[in-house]
């Protein structure tokens, strides 16, 4: 029997780069609850850990499975980054307390956009 939220619902390799980045950060949080300040994704993971409805389940970093909580977290980041705030808010309320959900969406949007900028090289500034 799997812990709540950890039942496999897909494959990690089927995620797009943004989803993989989100899940990787969540898995790192499981290993080290005191993540160093690694940016917006780590901040979002911290928010979920502090205000989560329950502890989020994550598979081991090298696991090819994608758990239910991981899929929800990845989709939250993807939807928020795409500007789909209402859809992202529904997912956020599955993960964190309702009063914190709008903040989670805002953080997910910033995290997702940051990962997308890094992936496309748009995050580099020219001096």
């Amino acid at each position: 029997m799997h812990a709540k939220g950890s039942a496999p619902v897909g494959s990690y390799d089927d995620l797009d780069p943004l989803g993989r980045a989100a899940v990787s950060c969540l898995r790192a949080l499981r290993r080290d609850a005191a993540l160093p300040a690694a940016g917006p994704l780590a901040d979002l993971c911290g928010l979920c850990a502090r205000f989560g409805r329950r502890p989020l389940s994550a598979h081991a970093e090298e696991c090819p499975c994608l758990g239910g909580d991981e899929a929800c977290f990845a989709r939250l980041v993807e939807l928020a980054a795409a500007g789909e705030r209402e859809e992202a808010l529904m997912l956020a309320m599955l993960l964190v307390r309702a009063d914190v959900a709008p903040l989670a969406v805002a953080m997910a949007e910033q995290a997702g956009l940051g990962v997308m900028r890094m992936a496309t090289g748009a995050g580099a500034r020219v001096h």
Side-chain angles (χ1 to χ4, degrees):
M1 179 131 193
H2 295 281
K4 289 182 179 180
S6 69
V9 297
S11 171
Y12 176 83
D13 291 335
D14 289 341
L15 294 171
D16 64 17
L18 178 55
R20 284 194 301 272
V23 170
S24 292
C25 188
L26 186 61
R27 288 178 176 185
L29 177 68
R30 177 178 178 253
R31 186 188 75 241
D32 182 4
L35 276 174
L41 263 179
D43 293 341
L44 177 60
C45 287
L47 181 85
C48 289
R50 185 168 180 203
F51 298 105
R53 294 183 165 277
R54 60 171 169 71
L56 294 181
S57 293
H59 289 238
E61 288 184 56
E62 67 282 352
C63 184
C65 296
L66 179 67
D69 284 351
E70 295 172 328
C72 187
F73 185 81
R75 191 68 180 137
L76 164 63
V77 173
E78 292 168 351
L79 287 168
E84 298 288 335
R85 289 191 178 114
E86 288 183 13
E87 295 294 317
L89 185 60
M90 287 190 335
L91 288 177
M93 286 195 277
L94 294 173
L95 300 175
V96 297
R97 294 184 340 216
D99 61 321
V100 181
L103 177 58
V105 171
M107 293 174 79
E109 180 179 22
Q110 292 304 307
L113 292 174
V115 169
M116 289 169 32
R117 277 192 301 273
M118 286 187 331
T120 62
R125 287 187 175 172
V126 177
H127 295 284

